Amino acid sequence: MKFALFGSMFPDRSAKAEEQIYGVCDAIKRHGGQLYLPENFYISLPGNIRQLLDPICELAETLPDVDMVVSVGGDGTFLRTAATVGDTGIPILGINTGRLGFLAAINYSDVEDTLSEVMRGDYKVQDRTLLKMTTDEVFPPNHFNTNALNEIAILKQDTASMLSIHAYINNDYLTSYQADGLVISTPTGSTAYSLSIGGSILSPTTPSIILSAIAPHNLTSRSLVVDDSSIISLKIESRSHMFLVSVDGQSRVLDETVSIQVRKADYTLRVVKRVGHTFFETLRDKLMWGADVRKQNK
Amino acid sequence: MKFALFGSMFPDRSAKAEEQIYGVCDAIKRHGGQLYLPENFYISLPGNIRQLLDPICELAETLPDVDMVVSVGGDGTFLRTAATVGDTGIPILGINTGRLGFLAAINYSDVEDTLSEVMRGDYKVQDRTLLKMTTDEVFPPNHFNTNALNEIAILKQDTASMLSIHAYINNDYLTSYQADGLVISTPTGSTAYSLSIGGSILSPTTPSIILSAIAPHNLTSRSLVVDDSSIISLKIESRSHMFLVSVDGQSRVLDETVSIQVRKADYTLRVVKRVGHTFFETLRDKLMWGADVRKQNK
Amino acid sequence: MKFALFGSMFPDRSAKAEEQIYGVCDAIKRHGGQLYLPENFYISLPGNIRQLLDPICELAETLPDVDMVVSVGGDGTFLRTAATVGDTGIPILGINTGRLGFLAAINYSDVEDTLSEVMRGDYKVQDRTLLKMTTDEVFPPNHFNTNALNEIAILKQDTASMLSIHAYINNDYLTSYQADGLVISTPTGSTAYSLSIGGSILSPTTPSIILSAIAPHNLTSRSLVVDDSSIISLKIESRSHMFLVSVDGQSRVLDETVSIQVRKADYTLRVVKRVGHTFFETLRDKLMWGADVRKQNK
Amino acid sequence: MKFALFGSMFPDRSAKAEEQIYGVCDAIKRHGGQLYLPENFYISLPGNIRQLLDPICELAETLPDVDMVVSVGGDGTFLRTAATVGDTGIPILGINTGRLGFLAAINYSDVEDTLSEVMRGDYKVQDRTLLKMTTDEVFPPNHFNTNALNEIAILKQDTASMLSIHAYINNDYLTSYQADGLVISTPTGSTAYSLSIGGSILSPTTPSIILSAIAPHNLTSRSLVVDDSSIISLKIESRSHMFLVSVDGQSRVLDETVSIQVRKADYTLRVVKRVGHTFFETLRDKLMWGADVRKQNK
């Protein structure tokens, strides 16, 4: 079985994370896997780790034709891995090197068990919807990813003025948000930025998209969940005539004459899940749903 | 075309509402419809209205085999009409006698235009999902409706103590809510009670169910949207050993030994919609999404 | 130094809590304190604990003239202790037997250190504001406490219908809440029920009162903070003509003809605080403000 | 009685607003007032309005020693007027030329009545607290106002990364916000930006400050109300090492090595209020508290 491993390239990557990256590589090899590493990621690693890796992996400039991609890091690393994997259909296994993530949902301590299960085919693959952004402006290729696993956000570029965001669903006028921004999220992204601004949590396989305003001026503004076959069109007005569009956290300045369309991407991302482990488990752990604040005060 | 008309039976029904009930009946007759009225509703009307109605309608003890049911009143009246129409598949047209409703979405002033459209078949029928509650306790027939167009709510019966609601989705443990209650809502109900406690709005045809806690003790509690093929199971603990279950606002006391299952009902409710009128229009009007509070303060 | 000790009388009091109650009594004695126990509380304890207590405490039918009252249990126990201490001005020390409370803010493991500090006068006393409810109906004495350390809440008695609560501040009309209820909270209570329904946290010594609606039908409803010299008057309408008023969780049914006034009580409750321990510490611990949910997902 | 009039200088000022500016000037003159206009404001007006104004007003380069300042425009205009009036103690009367504001709370249609009342001394002056920002960096004089009538906000400068804001109250550690920003608001500002991000409304004379996070990553984050004698200290960390500070909407980039202190300003702003008109009236009107959304759906 062939694996490609992608790791965190954040400048603040810890030495412990680097050791765990090697640990995962070593485990893959020991379980009989064949391992590829992206060249630029390999180069980013310190010399001692590279020496350990040399005998057990091959380098690749582009994503090789593997059976599974392993992402080692946080959810941010997983998002970048997903952008590289794109529409190839190769399933991704997310291992976290720090705290449990929603995407990097497998703890380092479970790597051995997980690889045993993977090697004997004892795992599930879950399809995750992505959002695709299109505009009437041509984006230079290779410079701006327009597919989002988490969310596409419209944000004000400057701080002084708010945005007016005129929103249409399937060409029906929805509303004009007066706000600092608008977040359009997949079920996968519903536990990320969307949650910070009051959005509901969407179970990962719900065929839905959720729209939530950032700091809405209108107090009756509420998150809206629509069918994921919907086409969302946005026209933006800004005192500075500019706004930002952010795709999974990567942002770009656009002119307000550019209108935005958001819809479901043509492909899904395939996420590797261990059998018997549910989304709700991750949710309870991450949101500390077991803990009760008010109880003690009564 | 045969119509049955159901009107508000609230004790605080106004004289104006009664005049409008007659007005709708008269309009149906003038447009060539054949009209049936439930006997108990007819009897609740004042003498002068009854006299006007006598020549233009027939009375019926049970729901006759009509082509369309017309509900005249508020959303509460529509909910009761829906309970009577049940799984017959007869489409319902909701006319409001006061302010615009989400269900009673046609204003009295549009009755003439709407009936013209209906008589020439120029309308849409939208399928709305209902929720069905089952328990291991047998409910006496005809005494408690267990199908909800809006929501099924678990509520504490007494005020002193909170509930512990252990929730499972498709037999996977979700969480234990420590709260005053839990509201499980359809997309249709997402603009009703669910919205008051912070739930997102679900577009009516989204195949989803939304769960929201009332006054949750755990500050990280958030609304959760799941696929409407989900089976939600609840086990409730209460210091008084009792709790309330409310189906579209009609409630009943249950013992905490009774566990509750909520799933999609086997049938949908068919709602008559005018062509060219969208849910978002109603939303803007009802939620005053056009109005902007903060704008003026900047 | 004379102490009276009040402990949890909840039926679900654990054996461990009972041991800790004895532990606190023993520690008071060892630190040279003179100890009184309420007779009914003593009787509620199991025989072996009573035998241990016999040599070290005296029983009292009413609150004796002591220097400090010690509450051992949760915040619920503290609230009942506060109701007994009333306007005597005797400071209360809150020790929790389970999880840290906002009122029972001293952990059992810190009892020795705390008592050493108390015996040498090395502690602070913080004045906490209470709310007083008055009505035009005479409450039978000794049957219903009308002073609240946490909150006074107006709640619907039945589940089917909402309340209309017409609110006035210093005789100026504020608004008419259409809601399941209204919670009027002290700064102390702002971390209890008020917080569950979206209220802000008020630092304990802020001279303010916070009003928050429960499940408000009006989406623009927001919590309101007013000066604690304000007099809040409420007139309630209910379809059932009845409503509940709850004072620190103890509730009573009232007729809608009874109007309610809420203002600051004439006395404060004096809470013993350890030097160098702040409210913000408790807040961080109780609300897990150290934990970061979204971070990992980026 | 001497008046200085400040009007909107927004580039999108309407012709109608300009006519109303003249209307207010004319009314002041007719009621026997002596009128001064800032030179730069006068110059910004169209020729025909200037011709009408010439006989009835005098120009001034700096704020003359008047009895009252009149602000004609929206709340934004009022904020800029307040910045100019500063600590002079001259009371400000806010007249709106569009929709009712919280600060520009007098409608144009009430100008005649209001001026009659003002000329005969029949009005109240309400003291409004301001916040003062200090840093260890010296701000060039005349370039950046550090006193806020509404709010002081810490905002991220770039979109990709969140801020870590370490907050202290009177040197006691509060918490470390992981968020897009933090808004520290006066009671006056509690109905502006603070409200958009979930803050409670503070009655204008409440001696309090309210802190609210923007898009907090920690789901247990809640608004916090502290006594307005508190000194709030902030240390900010940002991946870009920069952040924005915004004082009543005017922002400036700072380096993360700069720490921020926020406290009550040494002076208050004196706002002219009509007798018999309350804050709650404005609140009901602005927040549409009269309107009830859910009612109709029941």
Side-chain angles (χ1 to χ4, degrees):
Chain A
M1 200 169 168
K2 293 184 187 169
F3 294 85
L5 185 144
F6 288 72
S8 166
M9 293 188 66
F10 273 118
D12 49 5
R13 186 178 62 194
S14 69
K16 187 180 153 235
E18 288 164 351
E19 278 164 39
Q20 295 192 342
I21 286 165
Y22 168 70
V24 176
C25 291
D26 181 55
I28 287 171
K29 200 68 189 178
R30 281 189 287 99
H31 281 85
Q34 190 178 341
L35 181 63
Y36 295 88
L37 252 61
E39 216 166 75
N40 63 339
F41 170 59
Y42 170 83
I43 289 165
S44 81
L45 293 166
N48 62 324
I49 302 283
R50 286 208 302 266
Q51 277 186 326
L52 289 166
L53 286 173
D54 285 343
I56 61 173
C57 74
E58 295 170 58
L59 301 188
E61 271 186 68
T62 56
L63 179 63
D65 184 24
V66 294
D67 302 300
M68 193 176 284
V69 166
V70 180
S71 172
V72 185
D75 283 353
T77 301
F78 193 103
L79 286 176
R80 278 190 307 280
T81 303
T84 305
V85 168
D87 60 359
T88 62
I90 304 174
I92 308 180
L93 177 73
I95 296 167
N96 67 74
T97 52
R99 283 176 42 193
L100 178 66
F102 277 107
L103 295 168
I106 289 163
N107 285 323
Y108 182 70
S109 57
D110 294 329
V111 163
E112 293 296 330
D113 288 351
T114 305
L115 282 173
S116 298
E117 292 162 11
V118 163
M119 295 312 284
R120 65 172 185 261
D122 187 15
Y123 62 92
K124 292 174 295 179
V125 171
Q126 201 176 55
D127 284 309
R128 296 291 185 105
T129 300
L130 294 97
L131 293 175
K132 177 176 68 173
M133 183 186 75
T134 54
T135 67
D136 30 4
E137 189 183 68
V138 181
F139 286 98
N142 299 326
H143 274 112
F144 192 69
N145 176 32
T146 53
N147 290 316
L149 181 57
N150 267 353
E151 77 277 312
I152 290 172
I154 305 298
L155 304 163
K156 58 181 185 174
Q157 189 216 359
D158 49 348
T159 59
S161 65
M162 62 177 179
L163 297 177
S164 294
I165 305 173
H166 309 289
Y168 299 77
I169 311 283
N170 299 328
N171 292 320
D172 287 328
Y173 175 57
L174 171 62
T175 189
S176 293
Y177 294 98
Q178 311 290 329
D180 285 1
L182 178 69
V183 173
I184 303 176
S185 170
T186 62
T188 298
S190 72
T191 50
Y193 198 25
S194 178
L195 192 60
S196 298
I197 54 170
S200 295
I201 296 165
L202 275 55
S203 186
T205 53
T206 314
S208 301
I209 298 171
I210 179 164
L211 293 84
S212 304
I214 306 171
H217 302 203
N218 184 322
L219 294 188
T220 61
S221 188
R222 286 293 182 278
S223 292
L224 175 69
V225 176
V226 296
D227 198 279
D228 72 3
S229 65
S230 304
I231 299 175
I232 301 157
S233 309
L234 307 172
K235 289 180 186 163
I236 293 107
E237 282 180 79
S238 159
R239 208 168 253 180
S240 72
H241 306 300
M242 307 299 278
F243 66 96
L244 283 165
V245 66
S246 165
V247 175
D248 279 350
Q250 306 301 308
S251 66
R252 183 192 164 97
V253 179
L254 289 180
D255 190 276
E256 68 176 357
T257 58
V258 179
S259 60
I260 303 278
Q261 287 79 43
V262 175
R263 75 192 77 192
K264 191 166 59 170
D266 307 320
Y267 65 95
T268 56
L269 196 85
R270 307 184 69 221
V271 178
V272 176
K273 291 283 159 192
R274 295 182 72 188
V275 173
H277 291 259
T278 71
F279 167 69
F280 302 131
E281 229 179 299
T282 311
L283 206 56
R284 284 196 305 273
D285 187 272
K286 292 282 294 177
L287 304 192
M288 299 164 293
W289 273 15
D292 169 14
V293 171
R294 201 180 75 179
K295 196 178 189 176
Q296 298 308 105
N297 204 15
K298 275 289 161 186
Chain B
M1 200 168 169
K2 291 183 187 169
F3 294 85
L5 185 144
F6 289 71
S8 165
M9 291 188 67
F10 273 118
D12 49 5
R13 187 179 62 193
S14 68
K16 186 178 153 239
E18 290 165 349
E19 277 165 40
Q20 295 191 343
I21 286 166
Y22 168 70
V24 176
C25 292
D26 180 55
I28 288 171
K29 200 70 190 176
R30 280 188 289 96
H31 281 84
Q34 190 178 341
L35 180 65
Y36 295 88
L37 253 61
E39 215 166 76
N40 63 339
F41 170 60
Y42 171 84
I43 289 165
S44 81
L45 293 166
N48 61 324
I49 301 283
R50 287 207 302 266
Q51 277 185 325
L52 288 166
L53 285 172
D54 284 343
I56 62 174
C57 75
E58 295 170 58
L59 301 188
E61 269 184 69
T62 57
L63 179 63
D65 185 24
V66 292
D67 302 298
M68 193 175 283
V69 165
V70 180
S71 171
V72 185
D75 282 353
T77 301
F78 193 103
L79 286 176
R80 278 191 306 279
T81 303
T84 305
V85 167
D87 60 0
T88 61
I90 304 174
I92 308 181
L93 176 72
I95 296 167
N96 67 73
T97 51
R99 283 176 43 194
L100 179 65
F102 278 106
L103 294 168
I106 290 164
N107 285 323
Y108 182 70
S109 57
D110 293 328
V111 163
E112 292 294 329
D113 287 352
T114 305
L115 283 174
S116 296
E117 291 162 13
V118 163
M119 295 312 285
R120 66 173 184 261
D122 188 16
Y123 63 92
K124 293 175 296 181
V125 171
Q126 202 176 56
D127 283 310
R128 298 292 184 102
T129 299
L130 294 98
L131 293 174
K132 177 176 68 174
M133 181 186 77
T134 54
T135 69
D136 30 4
E137 188 184 71
V138 182
F139 286 99
N142 299 325
H143 275 112
F144 191 68
N145 176 32
T146 54
N147 291 316
L149 181 57
N150 269 352
E151 78 277 311
I152 290 171
I154 305 299
L155 304 163
K156 58 181 185 172
Q157 188 216 358
D158 49 346
T159 60
S161 65
M162 63 179 176
L163 297 178
S164 294
I165 305 173
H166 309 289
Y168 300 77
I169 311 283
N170 299 328
N171 291 321
D172 287 329
Y173 175 57
L174 170 61
T175 190
S176 294
Y177 294 99
Q178 310 290 329
D180 285 1
L182 178 68
V183 174
I184 303 174
S185 170
T186 63
T188 298
S190 72
T191 50
Y193 197 27
S194 179
L195 191 61
S196 299
I197 55 172
S200 294
I201 296 165
L202 275 56
S203 185
T205 54
T206 314
S208 302
I209 297 172
I210 180 165
L211 292 84
S212 305
I214 305 172
H217 303 203
N218 184 321
L219 293 188
T220 62
S221 186
R222 285 294 182 278
S223 292
L224 175 69
V225 177
V226 296
D227 198 280
D228 71 3
S229 65
S230 305
I231 299 176
I232 301 157
S233 309
L234 307 172
K235 288 179 186 164
I236 293 107
E237 283 180 77
S238 160
R239 207 167 257 179
S240 72
H241 307 299
M242 304 300 276
F243 65 95
L244 282 165
V245 64
S246 164
V247 176
D248 280 350
Q250 305 301 309
S251 66
R252 184 191 164 98
V253 180
L254 289 181
D255 189 276
E256 69 176 356
T257 57
V258 180
S259 61
I260 304 279
Q261 288 82 43
V262 175
R263 76 193 74 191
K264 189 165 62 170
D266 308 319
Y267 64 93
T268 56
L269 196 86
R270 309 184 68 219
V271 179
V272 177
K273 291 284 159 192
R274 294 182 72 186
V275 173
H277 291 258
T278 71
F279 168 68
F280 302 130
E281 229 181 299
T282 310
L283 207 54
R284 285 197 304 274
D285 187 90
K286 289 283 294 176
L287 304 192
M288 298 164 293
W289 272 16
D292 170 13
V293 171
R294 201 181 75 178
K295 196 177 190 177
Q296 299 307 106
N297 204 17
K298 275 288 157 185
Chain C
M1 199 167 169
K2 291 184 189 168
F3 293 85
L5 185 143
F6 289 71
S8 167
M9 291 188 67
F10 272 118
D12 49 5
R13 187 177 64 193
S14 68
K16 187 180 152 235
E18 288 165 351
E19 277 164 40
Q20 296 192 343
I21 286 165
Y22 168 71
V24 175
C25 291
D26 180 56
I28 288 171
K29 199 71 190 175
R30 280 188 288 98
H31 281 86
Q34 189 177 341
L35 181 63
Y36 296 89
L37 252 62
E39 216 167 76
N40 63 338
F41 169 60
Y42 171 83
I43 289 166
S44 81
L45 293 166
N48 61 324
I49 301 284
R50 285 207 305 266
Q51 276 186 328
L52 289 165
L53 286 172
D54 284 344
I56 62 174
C57 75
E58 295 171 58
L59 301 188
E61 269 185 69
T62 57
L63 179 65
D65 184 24
V66 293
D67 302 299
M68 191 175 285
V69 166
V70 180
S71 171
V72 184
D75 282 354
T77 301
F78 193 103
L79 286 176
R80 278 190 307 278
T81 304
T84 305
V85 168
D87 60 359
T88 61
I90 304 174
I92 308 180
L93 176 72
I95 295 167
N96 67 74
T97 52
R99 284 176 42 193
L100 177 67
F102 278 105
L103 294 168
I106 289 163
N107 284 324
Y108 182 70
S109 56
D110 293 329
V111 163
E112 292 295 329
D113 288 353
T114 305
L115 283 174
S116 297
E117 292 162 13
V118 163
M119 296 312 285
R120 66 172 185 263
D122 186 17
Y123 62 91
K124 293 174 295 180
V125 171
Q126 200 177 56
D127 284 310
R128 297 291 184 102
T129 300
L130 294 97
L131 292 175
K132 177 176 68 173
M133 182 186 76
T134 54
T135 67
D136 29 4
E137 188 183 70
V138 182
F139 285 98
N142 298 325
H143 274 114
F144 192 69
N145 176 33
T146 53
N147 289 316
L149 181 57
N150 269 353
E151 77 278 311
I152 290 171
I154 305 299
L155 304 163
K156 58 180 187 173
Q157 188 217 358
D158 49 348
T159 59
S161 64
M162 61 179 179
L163 297 177
S164 294
I165 304 173
H166 309 288
Y168 300 76
I169 311 283
N170 300 329
N171 291 322
D172 287 327
Y173 175 57
L174 171 61
T175 189
S176 293
Y177 294 99
Q178 311 290 329
D180 284 1
L182 179 69
V183 174
I184 303 175
S185 170
T186 63
T188 298
S190 71
T191 50
Y193 197 26
S194 179
L195 191 60
S196 299
I197 54 171
S200 294
I201 295 165
L202 274 56
S203 186
T205 54
T206 315
S208 301
I209 298 172
I210 180 164
L211 293 84
S212 305
I214 306 171
H217 303 204
N218 184 324
L219 294 188
T220 62
S221 188
R222 287 293 182 277
S223 292
L224 176 70
V225 177
V226 296
D227 198 280
D228 72 2
S229 65
S230 305
I231 299 175
I232 300 158
S233 309
L234 306 173
K235 288 180 187 163
I236 293 106
E237 282 179 78
S238 159
R239 208 169 255 181
S240 72
H241 306 300
M242 306 300 277
F243 65 95
L244 283 165
V245 65
S246 164
V247 176
D248 279 350
Q250 305 301 309
S251 65
R252 184 190 163 98
V253 180
L254 289 180
D255 189 276
E256 69 176 357
T257 56
V258 179
S259 61
I260 304 279
Q261 287 80 43
V262 175
R263 75 192 76 190
K264 191 166 59 171
D266 307 321
Y267 64 94
T268 56
L269 195 86
R270 308 183 68 220
V271 178
V272 176
K273 290 283 159 192
R274 295 182 71 187
V275 173
H277 292 258
T278 71
F279 167 68
F280 302 131
E281 230 180 298
T282 310
L283 206 54
R284 283 197 304 276
D285 187 272
K286 291 281 295 176
L287 304 193
M288 298 163 294
W289 273 16
D292 170 13
V293 171
R294 201 181 74 178
K295 197 178 189 175
Q296 299 306 108
N297 204 15
K298 275 289 159 188
Chain D
M1 199 169 169
K2 290 184 189 170
F3 295 85
L5 184 143
F6 289 71
S8 166
M9 292 189 66
F10 273 118
D12 50 4
R13 186 178 62 193
S14 67
K16 185 179 153 235
E18 289 165 350
E19 276 164 40
Q20 296 191 342
I21 286 166
Y22 168 70
V24 176
C25 292
D26 180 57
I28 288 171
K29 200 70 190 177
R30 281 188 287 98
H31 282 86
Q34 189 176 342
L35 181 64
Y36 296 88
L37 252 61
E39 214 167 77
N40 63 341
F41 169 60
Y42 171 83
I43 288 165
S44 80
L45 293 166
N48 61 323
I49 301 284
R50 287 207 304 267
Q51 277 186 327
L52 289 165
L53 286 171
D54 283 344
I56 62 174
C57 75
E58 295 171 59
L59 300 188
E61 269 185 69
T62 57
L63 179 64
D65 184 25
V66 293
D67 302 298
M68 191 175 284
V69 167
V70 180
S71 172
V72 184
D75 282 353
T77 301
F78 193 103
L79 286 176
R80 279 190 307 278
T81 303
T84 304
V85 167
D87 61 358
T88 60
I90 304 175
I92 308 180
L93 176 72
I95 296 167
N96 67 74
T97 51
R99 281 176 43 192
L100 178 66
F102 278 105
L103 295 168
I106 289 163
N107 285 322
Y108 182 71
S109 56
D110 293 328
V111 164
E112 292 295 328
D113 288 353
T114 305
L115 283 174
S116 297
E117 291 162 12
V118 163
M119 296 311 286
R120 66 173 185 261
D122 187 16
Y123 63 92
K124 291 175 297 181
V125 171
Q126 200 176 57
D127 283 309
R128 296 292 183 104
T129 300
L130 294 96
L131 293 175
K132 175 175 68 172
M133 181 186 75
T134 54
T135 69
D136 30 4
E137 189 184 69
V138 182
F139 286 99
N142 299 326
H143 274 113
F144 191 70
N145 177 32
T146 54
N147 290 316
L149 182 57
N150 269 353
E151 77 277 311
I152 290 171
I154 305 299
L155 304 164
K156 58 181 185 174
Q157 188 216 359
D158 48 347
T159 59
S161 65
M162 61 178 180
L163 297 176
S164 293
I165 306 173
H166 309 289
Y168 300 77
I169 310 284
N170 299 328
N171 292 321
D172 288 328
Y173 175 57
L174 171 61
T175 190
S176 293
Y177 294 98
Q178 312 290 329
D180 285 0
L182 179 68
V183 174
I184 303 175
S185 170
T186 62
T188 299
S190 71
T191 50
Y193 197 26
S194 178
L195 191 59
S196 298
I197 55 171
S200 294
I201 296 165
L202 275 56
S203 186
T205 54
T206 314
S208 302
I209 297 172
I210 179 164
L211 293 83
S212 305
I214 306 172
H217 302 204
N218 184 323
L219 294 189
T220 62
S221 187
R222 286 294 181 279
S223 292
L224 176 69
V225 176
V226 297
D227 198 280
D228 72 2
S229 65
S230 306
I231 299 176
I232 300 157
S233 309
L234 307 173
K235 288 179 186 163
I236 293 106
E237 282 180 80
S238 160
R239 207 168 255 179
S240 70
H241 306 299
M242 306 298 278
F243 65 95
L244 283 165
V245 65
S246 165
V247 176
D248 279 351
Q250 306 300 308
S251 66
R252 182 189 164 99
V253 180
L254 288 180
D255 189 276
E256 68 175 357
T257 58
V258 179
S259 60
I260 304 279
Q261 289 80 42
V262 175
R263 75 192 76 190
K264 191 166 59 170
D266 308 319
Y267 64 94
T268 56
L269 195 87
R270 308 184 68 220
V271 178
V272 177
K273 290 283 158 193
R274 296 182 72 187
V275 173
H277 292 257
T278 71
F279 167 68
F280 302 130
E281 227 180 301
T282 310
L283 206 55
R284 284 196 304 274
D285 187 90
K286 292 281 294 177
L287 304 192
M288 298 163 294
W289 274 14
D292 169 13
V293 171
R294 201 181 74 177
K295 196 177 189 176
Q296 299 307 107
N297 204 16
K298 276 288 159 189

